[in-house]
Amino acid sequence: MLIALSDIVAHPDSAIGEIARRTGLPQSQVSAAVARLKESGSIETTQDPTDRRRLLVRPAATPSPRVAEARAAGVEEALCKAMATTDEQAVAEALALLVRHLPPVALARLRS
């Protein structure tokens, strides 16, 4: 679901088939992710004015309270818990190490 959402944010007003092509996900998986994201208030869909059979997907203009809460929450607490530590510096160092070992294609996706 996060892969689809990342693509939607990077390419607003895309059709589900376009999202599937860019992400490499099956169209059925993108459709399911779009349905869940729409239900959560993360995205909006509209009919394509040039082809009424297609839906265009974009990030929600106003995030739902749940989305706003998730965006406001930091990842530090969850990462500390996952790493069984209270040392935020250790978490920051672990993330820096991870970034150094990510392949170039993954880094490009993070930056877009």
Side-chain angles (χ1 to χ4, degrees), residues 18-35:
E18 295 167 341
I19 298 165
R21 279 190 294 283
R22 283 192 299 265
T23 62
L25 296 171
Q27 190 162 335
S28 60
Q29 193 172 350
V30 173
S31 293
V34 164

Side-chain angles (χ1 to χ4, degrees), residues 59-104:
T62 305
S64 70
R66 182 174 177 257
V67 170
E69 180 183 340
R71 287 179 182 163
V75 298
E76 295 83 1
E77 184 178 332
L79 290 173
C80 284
K81 186 175 180 179
M83 293 176 60
T85 183
T86 57
D87 184 356
E88 288 189 16
Q89 181 63 33
V91 171
E93 290 170 6
L95 288 172
L97 177 66
L98 174 64
V99 168
R100 283 195 301 271
H101 290 11
L102 286 173

Side-chain angles (χ1 to χ4, degrees), residues 5 7-13 41-44 57-62 71:
L5 181 58
D7 186 79
I8 293 164
V9 169
H11 306 280
D13 293 320
S42 300
I43 63 165
E44 301 170 343
V57 185
R58 72 172 64 98
T62 305
R71 287 179 182 163

